[in-house]
Amino acid sequence: MKVLITGVTGFAGSHLADYILANFKDVDLYGFKRWRSRDENIIHLLGKVKFYDVDIKDSTAVNRFIQEIQPNKIFHLAAQSFVPTSWKAPSETLNTNIIGQVNIFEAIRQHHLIDDTVIQIACSSEEYGLVHEDEVPIKETNPLRPLSPYAVSKIAQDYLGYQYHQSYGIKAIRTRTFNHTGPRRGEVFVISTFCKQIALIEKDLKPPVIKVGNLDAKRDFTDVRDIVRGYWIATDKCEPGEVYNIASDETHKIGDILDSLLSLSNKKIKVVQDPERMRPSDVLILHGDSTKFREKTGWKPEIPFKQTLEDTLNYWRKRIETNKKY
Ligand code: A2R
Ligand code: GDD
């Protein structure tokens, strides 16, 4: 079987590659990266994954390499994935996320791969946006009230999956994933930025002050290693055209997560709110209901949240200990 991961240099993409290589011997694994992509998440994959330099905004390159690979499964994870960047660079976010996906869909159509290729689309719980107290836990049927350009781009990806399935029969599996974290998470995301700052403070590389944003927001976190297992199962068991929440179905206040992380360190650390980290409109609560996905696939998360927090902090401690590029 030929499997293509877009966004293989990223957080979820590199963990998905690890999962596939560890569990399936009969898979030829391909990855789209960019020529200037960071390599820290994929160095260990060299020789095991065939990499192609493809910017997904470049329809010619997407077309050419999808034709060459003829993948049986595509995990479409490439995206501008950081919500605050979408306010600073809305056009770039919409272009990458929406047009990038259209380019992949069109390549599948043009090369007559619709019947042979299942494609998982990484949609997001951000699509739910403004959620009322009486709407949690959030089901797939909840209204979508996006609060960022990123959320709008993900709604477009999601609905393009629906529309291409209805119009052409493309086998798109739409996964609305709630927050996920773990080792290799980009340093700007909440748990990673907290862990990185704590690890720097522990090494006396930074004053004992941690900068934070909105600590009142609530999020539903799952370990990335459970999420990528879910993506694989989704492509085997879910219905093309359908949408599925993937979540832990538990929610945590960001302030409580910060307290848990601080309790893992011996340093006394002061917490300071950084206005730069506040958003024009933040999603206040994401608390998923993933019953539909669990009943369809039998998936459930296995890694406890406490373990994920410890692993992420230890990842940053090790990275700062061993790597000058932090
Ligand atoms: O930044 P790079 O060059 O390392 O590649 C990132 C890739 N990417 C692109 N690939 C091709 N053409 C583009 N124009 C392009 N823009 C970004 O997407 C990287 O490999 C990946 C994003 O990785 P992360 O930022 O670590 O996101 P994460 O958490 O792995 O998210 C995976 C998916 C995304 O669709 C999110 O929106 C969704 O899950 O939550
Ligand atoms: N990044 C960041 N940095 N967020 C902070 C901070 C901080 O210092 N302090 C508090 N927060 C709050 C944010 O305001 C937000 O409410 C929450 O922590 C989570 O922020 P992020 O980790 O940046 O993630 P996100 O929820 O905006 O988006 C992530 O999850 C989505 C799924 O719901 C990303 O992984 C998206 O790509 C993904 O689609």
Side-chain angles (χ1 to χ4, degrees):
M1 186 194 297
K2 291 186 279 188
V3 175
L4 169 64
I5 303 175
T6 73
V8 71
T9 59
F11 171 58
S14 64
H15 280 285
L16 178 61
D18 289 346
Y19 173 77
I20 293 170
L21 290 169
N23 289 284
F24 305 100
K25 301 292 166 227
D26 60 341
V27 164
D28 292 330
L29 195 49
Y30 302 83
F32 281 180
K33 59 187 270 298
R34 289 185 282 187
W35 68 269
R36 60 183 170 82
S37 286
R38 61 218 145 105
D39 63 4
E40 74 252 16
N41 293 341
I42 55 160
I43 286 177
H44 67 289
L45 297 173
L46 295 177
K48 299 175 186 160
V49 176
K50 187 161 183 194
F51 293 103
Y52 290 86
D53 284 349
V54 179
D55 187 316
I56 57 168
K57 297 196 295 297
D58 176 353
S59 61
T60 309
V62 168
N63 208 291
R64 181 176 150 208
F65 291 120
I66 294 228
Q67 180 183 25
E68 187 176 316
I69 299 167
Q70 308 250 328
N72 306 104
K73 289 190 183 196
I74 301 177
F75 295 90
H76 177 41
L77 303 178
Q80 191 303 96
S81 69
F82 188 47
V83 173
T85 298
S86 77
W87 279 290
K88 291 195 176 123
S91 312
E92 173 64 23
T93 301
L94 296 167
N95 249 318
T96 300
N97 297 4
I98 303 172
I99 304 305
Q101 183 172 299
V102 169
N103 289 339
I104 294 168
F105 280 178
E106 284 298 309
I108 292 172
R109 282 186 64 213
Q110 195 169 330
H111 300 299
H112 310 292
L113 295 170
I114 283 185
D115 292 336
D116 302 324
T117 308
V118 176
I119 175 165
Q120 173 259 345
I121 309 166
C123 310
S124 167
S125 55
E126 268 294 301
E127 294 172 45
Y128 295 114
L130 196 157
V131 173
H132 300 305
E133 287 288 342
D134 61 354
E135 291 175 331
V136 291
I138 307 163
K139 288 191 177 3
E140 291 82 354
T141 46
N142 214 69
L144 306 179
R145 306 184 192 100
L147 293 176
S148 64
Y150 171 79
V152 173
S153 78
K154 287 285 151 178
I155 291 174
Q157 284 189 242
D158 191 334
Y159 281 6
L160 281 163
Y162 176 81
Q163 178 255 312
Y164 269 70
H165 177 72
Q166 294 297 331
S167 303
Y168 310 114
I170 205 162
K171 292 181 181 167
I173 314 284
R174 301 144 62 206
T175 50
R176 279 188 201 146
T177 309
F178 285 63
N179 291 61
H180 41 298
T181 194
R184 299 188 205 146
R185 173 40 111 192
E187 65 182 86
V188 287
F189 297 88
V190 66
I191 291 176
S192 252
T193 180
F194 291 172
C195 289
K196 180 182 175 183
Q197 292 181 76
I198 292 169
L200 286 170
I201 291 165
E202 287 178 340
K203 284 274 160 201
D204 293 326
L205 291 166
K206 177 182 161 21
V209 177
I210 188 163
K211 289 187 179 174
V212 302
N214 177 14
L215 296 182
D216 293 327
K218 292 179 184 158
R219 289 289 187 280
D220 177 330
F221 278 97
T222 304
D223 192 290
V224 65
R225 293 160 287 197
D226 281 325
I227 292 293
V228 298
R229 183 168 50 82
Y231 288 163
W232 182 270
I233 299 171
T235 56
D236 279 342
K237 298 199 169 167
C238 288
E239 294 296 328
E242 278 291 318
V243 67
Y244 300 88
N245 284 343
I246 307 186
S248 74
D249 298 357
E250 287 171 11
T251 192
H252 302 268
K253 205 168 164 182
I254 300 297
D256 294 339
I257 296 174
L258 175 63
D259 290 343
S260 300
L261 288 170
L262 291 173
S263 76
L264 296 174
S265 179
N266 293 327
K267 284 276 182 181
K268 197 168 160 39
I269 298 174
K270 190 175 161 201
V271 176
V272 170
Q273 193 177 75
D274 174 4
E276 287 289 309
R277 290 170 186 250
M278 301 301 283
R279 302 177 179 191
S281 45
D282 200 6
V283 173
L284 295 183
I285 179 159
L286 289 176
H287 176 187
D289 178 337
S290 59
T291 307
K292 181 179 173 186
F293 184 62
R294 291 179 192 224
E295 286 183 350
K296 188 75 186 167
T297 63
W299 175 89
K300 61 178 187 332
E302 287 170 358
I303 302 171
F305 188 46
K306 186 167 175 289
Q307 179 73 52
T308 306
L309 292 183
E310 285 173 9
D311 289 354
T312 311
L313 182 55
N314 286 334
Y315 164 80
W316 279 103
R317 284 175 172 147
K318 189 167 171 208
R319 193 161 155 182
I320 282 160
E321 182 79 40
T322 57
N323 188 342
K324 300 280 172 278
K325 283 197 299 180
Y326 51 78

